[in-house]
Amino acid sequence: MSASRSAVPFTVIGGFLGAGKTTVINQILRGASGERIVVLVNDVGDTPIDPELIASRSADTITLTNGCICCSLGDEFALTLPDLLELSPPIDRVVVEASGIGDPGRIAQYGTLPGFALDGVIVLADCEGIGRLLDDGRIGHQIADQLRRAHVVAMTKSDLATSDELKRAKARIAEVVEGQGIPILEISNGQIPPEIMFGLGNDHVSELAAATSDSSMFTHGIDVQTVPVPAQVERVLLDQWLAALPEDVLRVKGVVNLADDTAVVVQKVGPRCRITARPDRADEPRLVVISITGTEFSHPDW
Amino acid sequence: MFDPGLAGAFGHRGDITIFVASEIVTMDPRRPSATHVAVCEGRILGVGPLEELEVWGPYTLDERFADYVLVPGMIEAHSHVIEGALWERPYVGFHPRRGPAGQIEGGQRSIDELLERLHFEDAALTDLSEPLICWGLDPLYFPGERLTSAHLDMVSSTRQIIVLHASLHLATVNSVTLQANGIDADSETEGIVRDTNGQAVGELQEFPAMLTVTALARLFRDFSDPRHLWTLARQGVNGGITTVTNLAGAEITDPQAAAPIAEQVADPSFPIRLVTYCLPGNATPDAVAERITALQATNTDKLIYGGVKIVGDGSIQGYTAVMNWPGYINGAPQGLWQVPPDRLSEMVRNYHAAGINLHLHANGDATIDAVIDAVDHALRHHAWLNHRHTLQHSQITTPAHYRTMARLGMCANIFTNHLWYWGDQHYTSTLGPDRTHNMETCATAAREGVRFSIHSDAPVTPLNQLHTMWCATNRTTPTGRTLGPNETITAYQALAAVTIDAAYQLHLDHKIGSIETGKHADFTVLTTNPLTCDPDHIRDISIWGTVLNGTPQPAN
Ligand SMILES: [Zn+2]
């Protein structure tokens, strides 16, 4: 890895068998739009990829026409992860599919190793099946643990469920993750809005901010709002405001100049919040808040 | 007309060697004991008194074992190649172990003794930049005090010092290691243990945290290097073993792994038979079946692909074995499935239908239920009666389980070494007294009609079947407890478990496991007959070495 290169964002997609991980992965690969994404799946042979996207395939790797790569995550996955940083052309992003019974939070830890930056753990839950899974005396506790390890829970196949079913499923999930600040999002056709799926890497805070006036840019059901930020902010006020945000805030990203003449980058996904130092002060400090439509939060009074 | 093929099959052509021993324990009930065994072309040509063997013609009488006892070559039906990889590094565990060169290592019984040993190993390493990596620490034996970087800093402030724990799930490192790898208050990876001020104290728990140390990442990657097979084989010979297993083969998930292994084992001087069960990874059952069948087509006498290993859950001492009511005595959660039970059932059914022998790791009773149900279900669909699917570890299997297993034709491989190595800890901390008495119930398996083997799971415990037999016949712990005295088995049962019955569950009982005509000439050479000595002393019997395919292999 060259020293100049920034860490590769690392996203984990979790959820039990049948939760819709393959559909989500296909959507990610299809929507890569110029990014070279490596998707590590449980088994390439068992992952149907849109045939028109496939440039070439071997037993454990599929190369896509858009430069993305989909490969099987072997038993030695964690050990061979650094090899991804040596690929040429360099990759922009890694997405890992957790196994159906695996702990997505555990896999996410590999995203904290040198060369990578953990960008989020999205755990999928099938609206129709999640209640039954949570009630299963044998594996229910492990399914609940998976949900608790999420930064965002995405309820899949929401278009196939009645509004009653949807409500029930959401209540079950909310009960499991209660008090952990994990937002629960409804999706259909495996479409997780890219601004939620990916926070790091595409430094598009300003783009997002500019686009907030044009709501058609964003997925139905998602609000993107720019929060005004003064020329400088007390760190303690920033921390307090972030901590007080409601659970339905999916992501916050932005740059803030602090009162002590330093500047920070803010990255929040669900309950996970990272505030890291930035070498220089930002010309246009701002915070963008992405939330489930209708979420109300207080703007900071700084 | 002369047919060389037929001659090879039916006539003997090679030189005949007749070994004489003070006693030959055959484990063939038709002739339990003998004085001579004739060997030709690596196989047993005959067993009996010398005059009965002379009918085969000219022979050489080999008297080197005249004062020794021969038993069938012992079989370790659950071990791992990592045993070989680890022995390239100093072993610093609580219980002493014999290393590949025959040296006794370990026995560090306090943190002070550990540090003294590390000082010595540090001084012995000439390359100053090379990290010192040791293995085998079991903190359960140092209650009250936890090893930290502060201790290890006393060993070196210039070299990286890394101590891997016996479980291989943890490591403790010194401050040089923390600094060299940028592990500080800002490190995010879970499992980096910290003090109340948020400073890392040197303990790294679980794989992600250990991988923050480059030297460990490199070590783990090297584990699969086929050169380690030689150390494993050496360890096997020293432990009197002629057939060793690798119960987590990577040759399905990594097809490139097979060729270098085959090359090593084919070397005529490679001193052990290797049976491998591969992990299926996440590939579809069809792909796995196709791959294992292709590997089996390459089987030789010395390298045998037995089938597929499936890991159902974790371990009891790690609180990850999946438990039924009432669970762990400390109220720990019920455990972690490695494969969801429904998927386990689907895998078993598919592999069973393809005629693949399965070895199924199940420690908790909920997992044992799931495995037995899965085999039951598979048999309703496919009437393969000779499957010999084996429940691996089988630590808290109940009489009801064993009754069903017997009906289903299943085998067990029981982890008797736990009685000695963790029996006291299970008694006080995991299962509590009454269920610890009921762990590793070999007598129940025998009574209910299940053929079983007993194992070390090396490198988890030492590769030495005499020690494993001793655990099964005595059931004692280091603090002097006898666990479940009704579950002790006889020396004969224990010897059967590490010979003919181990061979049975590997589908190899027609080739190895007893001393009878036609089988491979595999013997374990001992100073004392384990069937007639005081069972208390079985583990103290000296091992001369082994004979593999008729060739003597002295221990170091
Ligand atoms: Zn094992």
Side-chain angles (χ1 to χ4, degrees), chain B residues 78-80 247 309 361 393 457-458 460:
Chain B
H78 189 148
S79 53
H80 297 274
L247 229 63
K309 161 91 172 287
H361 162 128
H393 298 322
D457 200 11
V460 177

Side-chain angles (χ1 to χ4, degrees), chain B residues 39 41 68 136 154 185 208 232 252 296 313 374 399 441-442 471 500 518 547:
Chain B
V39 173
E41 297 170 28
Y68 291 89
M154 293 190 266
L232 173 73
I252 286 177
Q296 286 175 333
D313 65 357
T441 52
C442 297
C471 290
I500 189 66
V547 175

Side-chain angles (χ1 to χ4, degrees), chain A residues 50-250:
Chain A
D50 300 350
E52 71 271 17
L53 283 176
I54 297 176
S56 67
R57 73 183 301 160
S58 69
D60 57 3
T61 305
I62 296 177
T63 306
L64 278 69
T65 49
N66 60 9
C68 294
I69 300 169
C70 183
C71 52
S72 294
L73 163 159
D75 288 329
E76 306 245 288
F77 136 80
L79 297 178
T80 52
L81 212 47
D83 296 352
L84 295 179
L85 302 174
E86 308 291 338
L87 288 178
S88 173
I91 63 170
D92 298 308
R93 185 177 292 291
V94 175
V95 176
V96 182
E97 176 194 17
S99 86
I101 200 73
D103 171 5
R106 168 86 179 263
I107 300 240
Q109 298 312 307
Y110 297 114
T112 66
L113 295 179
F116 297 95
L118 180 58
D119 194 14
V121 177
I122 318 280
V123 174
L124 311 182
D126 166 16
C127 294
E128 211 195 347
I130 189 68
R132 213 171 39 243
L133 282 176
L134 288 168
D135 289 338
D136 184 313
R138 294 189 295 179
I139 57 169
H141 70 289
Q142 241 168 304
I143 302 297
D145 284 346
Q146 288 181 346
L147 294 172
R148 292 189 198 104
R149 294 285 256 164
H151 297 142
V152 175
V153 172
M155 293 172 58
T156 55
K157 307 174 192 174
S158 66
D159 51 327
L160 303 177
T162 65
S163 69
D164 258 11
E165 287 170 336
L166 205 56
K167 221 179 280 169
R168 260 200 312 274
K170 189 163 182 173
R172 282 305 304 278
I173 297 169
E175 189 189 351
V176 168
V177 302
E178 199 194 338
Q180 305 204 27
I182 301 169
I184 305 166
L185 177 74
E186 294 163 22
I187 65 166
S188 54
N189 300 320
Q191 277 173 324
I192 298 177
E195 58 269 29
I196 293 162
M197 180 74 100
F198 301 134
L200 301 178
N202 42 356
D203 194 15
H204 58 199
V205 175
S206 50
E207 269 168 63
L208 271 177
T212 47
S213 54
D214 176 11
S215 59
S216 67
M217 281 279 295
F218 299 105
T219 323
H220 179 68
I222 301 297
D223 282 347
V224 180
Q225 298 175 56
T226 303
V227 173
V229 174
Q232 43 183 25
V233 174
E234 291 286 347
R235 170 68 189 256
V236 57
L237 293 177
L238 174 66
D239 289 343
Q240 278 168 7
W241 176 73
L242 286 165
L245 286 172
E247 280 183 353
D248 282 351
V249 169
L250 297 156

Side-chain angles (χ1 to χ4, degrees), chain B residues 180-222:
Chain B
N181 292 281
I183 302 168
D184 56 25
D186 290 336
S187 298
E188 284 186 274
T189 313
E190 280 175 11
I192 297 173
V193 179
R194 299 167 189 286
D195 62 16
T196 45
N197 301 320
Q199 296 303 314
V201 297
E203 184 168 315
L204 307 171
Q205 300 181 340
E206 296 299 330
F207 222 42
M210 289 196 286
L211 289 187
T212 57
V213 173
T214 309
L216 277 177
R218 218 178 289 136
L219 176 78
F220 293 143
R221 230 175 153 160
D222 174 70

Side-chain angles (χ1 to χ4, degrees), chain B residues 82-427:
Chain B
I82 302 172
E83 165 78 8
L86 287 170
W87 275 108
E88 288 195 357
R89 316 274 170 177
Y91 165 75
V92 299
F94 183 88
H95 293 284
R97 292 192 184 189
R98 180 188 291 266
Q103 80 282 17
I104 300 295
E105 283 194 42
Q108 277 72 47
R109 296 190 166 240
S110 64
I111 287 183
D112 284 343
E113 282 183 30
L114 173 70
L115 297 181
E116 198 180 314
R117 172 80 191 282
L118 293 175
H119 267 296
F120 173 82
E121 296 297 339
D122 174 57
L125 260 188
T126 45
D127 181 350
L128 290 176
S129 64
E130 193 188 335
L132 171 63
I133 305 179
C134 303
W135 64 285
L137 176 78
D138 198 338
L140 281 173
Y141 288 106
F142 303 148
E145 200 182 5
R146 196 85 180 164
L147 185 73
T148 67
S149 54
H151 295 114
L152 299 181
D153 289 347
M154 293 190 266
V155 178
S156 180
S157 55
T158 51
R159 184 197 298 286
Q160 295 188 36
I161 308 285
I162 301 168
V163 181
L164 264 175
H165 295 209
S167 66
L168 296 180
H169 285 271
L170 283 81
T172 308
V173 305
N174 66 347
S175 298
V176 180
T177 311
L178 293 174
Q179 278 146 23
N181 292 281
I183 302 168
D184 56 25
D186 290 336
S187 298
E188 284 186 274
T189 313
E190 280 175 11
I192 297 173
V193 179
R194 299 167 189 286
D195 62 16
T196 45
N197 301 320
Q199 296 303 314
V201 297
E203 184 168 315
L204 307 171
Q205 300 181 340
E206 296 299 330
F207 222 42
M210 289 196 286
L211 289 187
T212 57
V213 173
T214 309
L216 277 177
R218 218 178 289 136
L219 176 78
F220 293 143
R221 230 175 153 160
D222 174 70
F223 272 178
S224 52
D225 192 300
R227 77 175 191 283
H228 301 309
L229 286 171
W230 283 91
T231 321
L232 173 73
R234 230 330 89 215
Q235 282 296 86
V237 172
N238 291 350
I241 291 163
T242 51
T243 297
V244 75
T245 41
N246 182 20
L247 229 63
E251 292 91 324
I252 286 177
T253 49
D254 177 13
Q256 269 110 48
I261 293 171
E263 195 183 319
Q264 310 266 351
V265 178
D267 186 322
S269 59
F270 190 80
I272 209 159
R273 213 177 289 292
L274 176 66
V275 182
T276 296
Y277 282 74
C278 295
L279 296 170
N282 297 303
T284 56
D286 284 351
V288 171
E290 194 181 311
R291 181 80 191 123
I292 198 79
T293 309
L295 285 165
Q296 286 175 333
T298 69
N299 280 358
T300 65
D301 278 349
K302 266 168 81 190
L303 176 61
I304 296 142
Y305 286 95
V308 169
K309 161 91 172 287
I310 299 174
V311 179
D313 65 357
S315 71
I316 296 171
Q317 71 275 29
Y319 299 96
T320 47
V322 186
M323 303 295 287
N324 288 328
W325 187 89
Y328 298 105
I329 53 166
N330 66 352
Q334 71 193 85
L336 293 176
W337 295 96
Q338 294 292 315
V339 180
D342 291 345
R343 166 126 172 115
L344 178 84
S345 185
E346 186 189 319
M347 290 166 86
V348 168
R349 198 176 68 234
N350 280 293
Y351 299 145
H352 176 87
I356 297 168
N357 178 224
L358 298 174
H359 282 230
L360 301 132
H361 162 128
N363 271 314
D365 45 4
T367 319
I368 295 168
D369 284 347
V371 163
I372 295 173
D373 283 353
V375 174
D376 190 341
H377 197 239
L379 277 162
R380 292 178 205 203
H381 290 267
H382 306 279
W384 178 27
L385 301 181
N386 197 27
H387 54 80
R388 309 184 192 184
H389 298 321
T390 300
L391 189 68
Q392 285 289 347
H393 298 322
S394 198
Q395 296 202 72
I396 54 172
T397 313
T398 62
H401 286 137
Y402 278 124
R403 281 189 284 275
T404 307
M405 288 169 65
R407 298 294 294 169
L408 296 175
M410 292 180 71
C411 301
N413 195 354
I414 304 173
F415 202 167
T416 49
N417 278 12
H418 254 262
L419 296 166
W420 173 253
Y421 286 102
W422 290 285
D424 288 320
Q425 282 75 24
H426 290 308
Y427 193 94

